[in-house]
């Protein structure tokens, strides 16, 4: 079964750093793009950015450029989402997803989500 | 404020048909394919429609997509209680060089 498995929930303090992961299995993801999508509590979906696992070519939404770092390790079919200094407003569910069809927005496979809570 | 505009909520009775609209502009819907998702509480979204009107394998033909100009529409026929969910449209925005989603529509099946 082709799937994306994300790392577990995190509870952090403001100012701390964090790196969450999204690992693909059941498929050779080295030639796939993986995107990150944020969902704040009770709110809608926000496209954050996308990375090509083959060469780590990365595109960011202007809303998230400079706020997060998206990276990947193709040898282990894993994408990462990283913060260097968390804020309370980063508290949200974060999903990774594969755009399996045209463009970077038709996501056919989703991770289960990683809940990030930032609180002092 | 989302780039794509959807009605916040819609309701209908079991067995009926509903349509959910998604309005954008020439920089997004007008020149790019639209996808539709539904999301049950506490779960990841699920792709219903891609490339404006195509269904992934396993999605019943009760779900349909269409597009005209800068607006897209998701249609659902034969409503079931299990269709109660949040529905989102999404597409690429060439001006932003980023993906964008609608604000979501909560479907209630009465």
């Amino acid at each position: 079964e082709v799937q994306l498995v994300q790392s577990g929930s995190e509870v952090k303090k403001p100012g701390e750093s964090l790196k969450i992961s999204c690992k693909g299995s059941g498929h050779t993801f080295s030639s796939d793009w993986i995107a990150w999508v944020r969902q704040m509590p009770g709110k809608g979906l926000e496209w954050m950015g996308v990375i090509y696992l083959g060469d780590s070519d990365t595109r960011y939404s202007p809303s998230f450029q400079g706020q997060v770092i998206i990276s990947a390790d193709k040898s282990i079919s894993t994408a990462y989402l990283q913060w260097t200094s968390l804020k309370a407003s980063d508290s949200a569910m974060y999903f990774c997803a594969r755009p399996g069809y045209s463009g970077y927005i038709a996501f056919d496979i989703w991770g289960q989500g990683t809940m990030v809570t930032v609180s002092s | 404020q989302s780039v794509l505009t959807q009605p916040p909520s819609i309701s209908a009775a079991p067995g009926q048909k509903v349509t959910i609209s998604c309005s954008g502009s020439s920089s997004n819907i007008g020149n790019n394919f639209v996808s539709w998702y539904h999301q049950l509480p506490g779960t990841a979204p699920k792709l219903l429609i891609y490339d404006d009107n195509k269904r992934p394998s396993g999605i019943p033909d009760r779900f349909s997509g269409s597009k005209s100009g800068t607006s897209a529409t998701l249609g659902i026929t034969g409503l079931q209680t299990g269709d109660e969910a949040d529905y989102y449209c999404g597409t690429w925005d060439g001006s932003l060089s980023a993906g964008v989603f609608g604000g979501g529509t909560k479907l209630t099946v009465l």
Side-chain angles (χ1 to χ4, degrees):
Chain A
E1 180 190 6
V2 181
Q3 58 181 347
L4 295 172
V5 179
Q6 298 184 229
S7 50
S9 299
E10 301 275 0
V11 179
K12 292 288 189 178
K13 291 181 170 25
E16 291 186 332
S17 62
L18 175 65
K19 191 174 188 178
I20 62 175
S21 66
C22 168
K23 182 175 176 58
S25 64
H27 170 76
T28 303
F29 281 88
S30 59
S31 56
D32 282 326
W33 293 82
I34 298 293
W36 287 96
V37 176
R38 183 176 78 174
Q39 188 167 38
M40 299 179 77
K43 302 298 184 182
L45 307 174
E46 299 175 89
W47 191 96
M48 301 177 70
V50 66
I51 188 166
Y52 182 63
L53 264 60
D55 63 4
S56 292
D57 180 16
T58 308
R59 320 284 169 86
Y60 291 94
S61 165
S63 298
F64 292 94
Q65 179 83 50
Q67 307 304 308
V68 297
I69 300 167
I70 295 173
S71 61
D73 184 342
K74 71 175 181 180
S75 69
I76 55 172
S77 298
T78 300
Y80 302 96
L81 180 64
Q82 181 179 359
W83 295 262
T84 57
S85 181
L86 286 160
K87 303 184 285 286
S89 57
D90 293 318
S91 295
M93 178 71 85
Y94 293 87
F95 294 101
C96 63
R98 182 187 79 167
Y101 300 101
S102 57
Y104 303 121
I105 191 76
F107 302 120
D108 60 342
I109 300 171
W110 290 74
Q112 82 277 21
T114 296
M115 177 64 74
V116 174
T117 303
V118 184
S119 175
S120 54
Chain B
Q1 192 86 3
S2 301
V3 172
L4 306 179
T5 301
Q6 297 180 233
S9 63
I10 191 169
S11 62
Q16 289 193 329
K17 172 183 176 178
V18 294
T19 59
I20 299 173
S21 61
C22 176
S23 178
S25 69
S26 58
S27 67
N28 43 66
I29 291 178
N31 283 285
N32 294 284
F33 286 125
V34 176
S35 301
W36 288 92
Y37 302 86
H38 72 177
Q39 183 182 32
L40 298 171
T43 68
K46 181 177 182 179
L47 182 66
L48 297 174
I49 298 288
Y50 69 98
D51 288 1
D52 298 341
N53 55 21
K54 296 182 175 63
R55 288 187 309 277
S57 174
I59 300 300
D61 59 7
R62 300 190 299 111
F63 296 91
S64 64
S66 64
K67 188 173 82 174
S68 178
T70 59
S71 292
T73 302
L74 174 71
I76 312 173
T77 60
L79 273 177
Q80 303 172 0
T81 56
D83 294 330
E84 275 205 351
D86 293 322
Y87 289 79
Y88 295 92
C89 57
T91 188
W92 183 256
D93 190 294
S95 294
L96 297 173
S97 291
V100 290
F101 288 102
T105 299
K106 184 175 183 60
L107 171 63
T108 300
V109 181
L110 302 167

